[in-house]
Amino acid sequence: MDKTAANLSVSETAKSIDALITPALLLDRGRLERNTQRLAEHARKLGVVLRPHMKTAKSIDVARHVFPREPGPITVSTIAEAEYFAGHGFRITYAVGMSTASAIRAMKLCRRTGVDVKLLLDTVEQADALADVREATGVTPSVFIELDCDDHRGGLKSDDPKLLEVANKVVAAGANLVGVLAHAGESYSLSTPGALVKAAENERLAIVRAAEILRAHGHACPILSLGSTPTAHFAENLEGVTELRAGVYMFFDLVQHGVGVCAIDDIAISVLATVIGAKPEKGWVLVDAGWMALSRDRGTASQQFDQGYGVVCDEKGRVLEDVVVSQASQEHGTLTIRSGSGKSMPELPVGTRIRILPNHACSMAAQHDFYSVVNGENPEIEARWERIRGW
Amino acid sequence: MDKTAANLSVSETAKSIDALITPALLLDRGRLERNTQRLAEHARKLGVVLRPHMKTAKSIDVARHVFPREPGPITVSTIAEAEYFAGHGFRITYAVGMSTASAIRAMKLCRRTGVDVKLLLDTVEQADALADVREATGVTPSVFIELDCDDHRGGLKSDDPKLLEVANKVVAAGANLVGVLAHAGESYSLSTPGALVKAAENERLAIVRAAEILRAHGHACPILSLGSTPTAHFAENLEGVTELRAGVYMFFDLVQHGVGVCAIDDIAISVLATVIGAKPEKGWVLVDAGWMALSRDRGTASQQFDQGYGVVCDEKGRVLEDVVVSQASQEHGTLTIRSGSGKSMPELPVGTRIRILPNHACSMAAQHDFYSVVNGENPEIEARWERIRGW
């Protein structure tokens, strides 16, 4: 599209959300700051380094709010994120299992920028490939072994004999084994404080046990890195652990609310949309935000409260009780009253603007190229923060 | 990210898919051409203009394949698409219900480029707003009234008295009523040829009936526009209709395969991914394509064959029978054998490359910024075609 000064779209020059092209992604700065300070304080109390995951925000401006003084340690989910944040001086852990190609890109980035980028693996094949990575780039890779603490996805169990085999292969390939890394991904399916505290302790025990085994066989294993947004908030004791990771906590979302980690009023992002039609006989109101703006994520479908494609608020961000986006096509969302609530649809004439809270902040934000930053109910846009994407 | 010549990523210079950064979106040119020619031929036989929907492809290069001689009539789902394609000379119908703001942007685009952009509405409020749009832009809007032929989403029923009321309001606001437009969106939930033929005829009857009513009251109603990918292919008679719309047919996908509109071998896009791990004891193979690359779309979940997050092929695009992406997190996909198939997982060592076919082409393509264009099993990349996004 033509981006010459004469043809800047209204979204790029808007001073108020009233002038934004809809659908538009809003970010509430006050909520962002409250959420990030809350976990930073918790990590301080627990005596661990907080290494926030930037896969949700993908924005240098958000990162600068998380680290107001100077660039700190972060986690990323793509090498594109690593390249972007390394350019701003952040120290990086790439927390997705490496391929030879991704490891070579990461090590070339280290060489080019001098920034530390750590890798993750859990197989002998990946460990063996580190020798090629080292030869191709002239950089000695620093590597975590991924642990599986809850049968969620990848990683080795602490007591799997392969743990030691992989560790030895990492060393044999001439790489640095810097530690072990776990992610309690199954904690997203929990919903009581007791279960969350237990999941956090289980994550800790798994990683401490793995480090004990590695240390008993001569591996120093200096870093014990764990975390997921639910377990990070419910951990009561992180003895033996050195760092904590979490990402979605910066923005929070309806899934995290369903898990019990945040209040609805903590959710910092939303999509601003405009009413473009209605079917009063069906109780439908149509808006110009479909799955392209909201994402197809239906993470609350398996929770106690199915929030459809998102909870609806008025233009100022005040929840319209029991109004949800019950259907979404590419550029249409259908608002209805949650079935069984007994309420009736509020008046939302054509042209009315609303905000929609995300099921999943990572996937909603990924549908947009920038955040329009607001604070509370004030319609003034304080800033426009760019996001990156791709791999 | 730094995009200087010295720092071009391998994806931007790759000559072969072997050199692509994964995950990467592939587009098979031969299949694209076959799919677009098939529907063009069908439209010719039925005696209607084909107005392809560009919401799936969002690419000028794809549009040039659909219109090899000169820019033609197209449909779009966002004003950003309208701005992009108008810049290349295409004539446009914006097939989402207008807001005052979107209509003003569209008419400013008409004024700036001289390109025709038609609008869509179904309420008296939108019709009344056309006077403001005309005054704000100095352009007389051309407008369709949206019809509802199958209770799918927006639009008025042919026999709704509001149809005439809205038509009269359009004229009273000083705009041009150019016709009626229907979209048989419910056809996506069908799966037999008989039902699809019937849905197509139902769509035709609804629009012809609406035009009859409008004409009986003095509205010329020159354009009768209808279509959805399933009904467009199964329509046997379009008497009275002037134009046909469809979008996903260019690429096709597993949902359309489930509906019965295409073969698996017609699906023109896929995501290339790399194996990064495995859990042999669970029958899992992990790849570096999660929902960020595949989208969260689970459109086949309600069909006879639930394809998970996509059907898995080998690197050349040959289907690995009964291997699907059964789970997806942000940057991880979990491949498993479809439950109940009785097969066992093929050997897919770490580093193996595979292709994943989409549940929904519109949503998978939207997760990527460009297509790497290939042809059949040849690994050579013929071109890199950019996509647009946003609103």
Side-chain angles (χ1 to χ4, degrees):
Chain A
M1 265 170 291
D2 187 355
K3 292 286 183 191
T4 56
N7 193 27
L8 278 175
S9 78
V10 66
S11 271
E12 291 170 72
T13 56
K15 297 273 190 291
S16 156
I17 63 169
D18 303 332
L20 278 179
I21 289 169
T22 56
L25 182 64
L26 304 182
L27 169 56
D28 186 306
R29 181 180 50 77
R31 294 181 181 189
L32 167 69
E33 289 171 357
R34 193 168 72 210
N35 297 340
T36 54
Q37 285 161 12
R38 174 181 166 197
L39 190 60
E41 180 58 27
H42 189 54
R44 254 192 307 275
K45 278 188 189 155
L46 293 169
V48 291
V49 170
L50 179 60
R51 181 183 282 273
H53 206 315
M54 290 298 165
K55 79 188 182 78
T56 310
K58 297 199 182 211
S59 158
I60 183 61
D61 300 293
V62 173
R64 285 183 181 133
H65 262 71
V66 179
F67 293 98
R69 282 185 294 275
E70 57 183 353
I74 61 169
T75 316
V76 302
S77 68
T78 66
I79 302 293
E81 288 168 50
E83 291 169 344
Y84 171 74
F85 286 106
H88 295 283
F90 288 83
R91 304 186 299 282
I92 291 161
T93 295
Y94 171 53
V96 172
M98 60 163 266
S99 65
T100 304
S102 66
I104 287 175
R105 281 177 73 204
M107 292 306 102
K108 283 186 176 171
L109 177 62
C110 292
R111 198 180 56 198
R112 202 162 64 235
T113 62
V115 161
D116 177 43
V117 184
K118 295 186 176 72
L119 302 172
L120 183 67
L121 52 72
D122 64 355
T123 66
V124 167
E125 292 77 8
Q126 288 163 306
D128 286 343
L130 291 170
D132 297 335
V133 173
R134 190 181 176 187
E135 191 174 313
T137 63
V139 179
T140 301
S142 292
V143 180
F144 283 99
I145 298 178
E146 184 175 7
L147 295 180
D148 175 3
C149 62
D150 60 1
D151 286 306
H152 177 64
R153 198 168 57 197
L156 297 169
K157 292 287 169 68
S158 304
D159 57 4
D160 188 328
K162 278 197 204 130
L163 176 66
L164 201 59
E165 187 187 354
V166 171
N168 292 337
K169 290 283 188 181
V170 167
V171 174
N176 293 328
L177 181 64
V178 296
V180 281
L181 182 149
H183 167 61
E186 285 300 302
S187 66
Y188 277 53
S189 65
L190 305 176
S191 59
T192 63
L196 289 161
V197 168
K198 205 169 148 187
E201 177 63 4
N202 176 65
E203 194 180 22
R204 184 187 78 84
L205 289 173
I207 202 167
V208 167
R209 177 73 190 128
E212 280 170 2
I213 292 168
L214 291 172
R215 286 170 181 159
H217 290 83
H219 298 286
C221 201
I223 310 179
L224 281 74
S225 174
L226 54 66
S228 70
T229 285
T231 54
H233 288 76
F234 280 83
E236 295 179 340
N237 164 30
L238 288 181
E239 199 182 333
V241 172
T242 66
E243 73 173 31
L244 186 63
R245 303 183 326 281
V248 75
Y249 80 99
M250 297 176 200
F251 297 164
F252 279 131
D253 55 30
L254 294 166
V255 166
Q256 294 301 320
H257 173 61
V259 173
V261 189
C262 69
I264 289 267
D265 286 350
D266 292 329
I267 300 175
I269 65 167
S270 60
V271 162
L272 184 72
T274 303
V275 174
I276 57 168
K279 291 259 181 180
E281 69 280 14
K282 294 178 175 171
W284 292 0
V285 169
L286 300 174
V287 297
D288 63 358
W291 58 253
M292 189 66 83
L294 304 173
S295 93
R296 266 288 190 207
D297 197 284
R298 289 280 293 103
T300 58
S302 55
Q303 294 188 324
Q304 190 182 354
F305 290 99
D306 183 344
Q307 310 282 20
Y309 285 93
V311 161
V312 180
C313 305
D314 69 11
E315 188 172 8
K316 290 179 185 289
R318 296 172 300 205
V319 172
L320 297 172
E321 217 177 328
D322 287 318
V323 182
V324 294
V325 183
S326 55
Q327 292 292 333
S329 45
Q330 187 160 337
E331 299 292 351
H332 296 82
T334 304
L335 315 187
T336 59
I337 289 290
R338 189 198 307 277
S339 63
S341 83
K343 294 212 174 53
S344 57
M345 198 67 176
E347 282 290 309
L348 294 169
V350 168
T352 305
R353 290 190 160 201
I354 53 131
R355 297 190 196 182
I356 302 164
L357 301 177
N359 274 328
H360 188 174
C362 307
S363 56
M364 174 187 272
Q367 301 300 103
H368 300 263
D369 287 333
F370 61 91
Y371 304 93
S372 292
V373 181
V374 295
N375 194 19
E377 297 185 6
N378 187 344
E380 185 197 343
I381 297 171
E382 298 185 348
R384 177 189 154 104
W385 291 350
E386 307 289 333
R387 283 176 52 90
I388 61 144
R389 65 197 303 257
W391 294 270
Chain B
M1 264 170 292
D2 188 354
K3 292 287 184 192
T4 55
N7 193 28
L8 277 175
S9 78
V10 66
S11 270
E12 291 170 71
T13 54
K15 297 273 191 292
S16 156
I17 63 169
D18 302 332
L20 279 177
I21 288 169
T22 56
L25 182 64
L26 304 182
L27 169 55
D28 187 306
R29 182 180 51 78
R31 293 181 182 189
L32 167 69
E33 289 171 356
R34 193 169 72 208
N35 296 340
T36 54
Q37 286 162 11
R38 173 181 165 196
L39 190 60
E41 181 58 28
H42 189 55
R44 254 194 306 276
K45 279 187 186 155
L46 293 169
V48 292
V49 171
L50 179 61
R51 181 182 282 273
H53 206 315
M54 290 299 165
K55 80 187 180 80
T56 311
K58 297 201 183 211
S59 158
I60 184 61
D61 300 291
V62 174
R64 285 182 181 134
H65 262 71
V66 179
F67 294 99
R69 283 184 293 276
E70 55 182 355
I74 62 168
T75 316
V76 302
S77 68
T78 66
I79 302 295
E81 289 168 49
E83 291 169 344
Y84 171 74
F85 286 106
H88 294 283
F90 287 84
R91 304 186 298 284
I92 291 160
T93 294
Y94 171 52
V96 172
M98 58 164 266
S99 65
T100 305
S102 65
I104 287 175
R105 281 177 73 203
M107 294 305 102
K108 283 185 175 171
L109 177 63
C110 291
R111 197 179 58 198
R112 201 163 64 236
T113 62
V115 160
D116 177 43
V117 184
K118 295 187 176 71
L119 301 172
L120 183 67
L121 52 73
D122 64 356
T123 65
V124 167
E125 292 76 9
Q126 288 163 306
D128 286 344
L130 291 170
D132 297 336
V133 173
R134 191 181 176 188
E135 192 174 313
T137 63
V139 178
T140 301
S142 292
V143 180
F144 284 100
I145 298 177
E146 184 175 8
L147 296 179
D148 174 4
C149 63
D150 59 2
D151 285 306
H152 176 65
R153 197 168 57 198
L156 297 168
K157 291 288 169 66
S158 304
D159 57 4
D160 188 330
K162 278 197 204 130
L163 177 66
L164 202 59
E165 188 187 353
V166 171
N168 291 338
K169 290 282 187 182
V170 167
V171 175
N176 293 329
L177 180 65
V178 296
V180 281
L181 181 150
H183 168 61
E186 285 300 303
S187 66
Y188 277 53
S189 64
L190 305 175
S191 59
T192 64
L196 289 161
V197 169
K198 205 169 149 188
E201 178 63 4
N202 176 64
E203 193 180 23
R204 184 187 79 83
L205 289 173
I207 203 167
V208 167
R209 176 71 189 129
E212 280 171 3
I213 292 168
L214 291 172
R215 285 169 183 160
H217 290 83
H219 298 285
C221 200
I223 310 179
L224 282 74
S225 175
L226 54 65
S228 70
T229 285
T231 54
H233 288 76
F234 280 84
E236 294 178 341
N237 163 31
L238 288 180
E239 199 181 333
V241 172
T242 65
E243 74 173 30
L244 186 61
R245 304 183 325 281
V248 75
Y249 80 100
M250 297 175 201
F251 298 163
F252 280 130
D253 55 30
L254 295 166
V255 166
Q256 294 300 321
H257 174 61
V259 173
V261 189
C262 69
I264 290 268
D265 285 350
D266 292 328
I267 300 174
I269 65 168
S270 59
V271 162
L272 184 72
T274 303
V275 173
I276 56 169
K279 291 258 182 181
E281 69 280 15
K282 294 177 175 173
W284 292 0
V285 169
L286 300 173
V287 296
D288 63 358
W291 58 253
M292 188 66 83
L294 304 174
S295 93
R296 266 287 190 208
D297 197 284
R298 289 282 291 107
T300 58
S302 56
Q303 295 188 324
Q304 190 183 353
F305 291 100
D306 183 342
Q307 310 280 20
Y309 285 92
V311 161
V312 179
C313 306
D314 70 10
E315 189 172 9
K316 289 178 184 289
R318 296 171 301 204
V319 172
L320 297 172
E321 218 176 329
D322 287 317
V323 182
V324 295
V325 183
S326 55
Q327 292 292 333
S329 44
Q330 186 160 336
E331 300 291 352
H332 296 81
T334 304
L335 315 187
T336 59
I337 288 291
R338 189 198 308 280
S339 63
S341 83
K343 294 211 174 55
S344 57
M345 198 67 175
E347 282 290 311
L348 295 170
V350 168
T352 305
R353 290 190 160 202
I354 53 131
R355 297 191 196 183
I356 302 165
L357 300 177
N359 274 327
H360 188 174
C362 307
S363 56
M364 174 187 272
Q367 301 301 104
H368 300 264
D369 287 333
F370 60 92
Y371 304 93
S372 292
V373 182
V374 295
N375 193 19
E377 297 184 5
N378 187 343
E380 185 197 343
I381 297 172
E382 298 184 348
R384 177 188 155 105
W385 291 351
E386 307 288 332
R387 284 176 52 90
I388 61 144
R389 67 195 304 255
W391 294 272

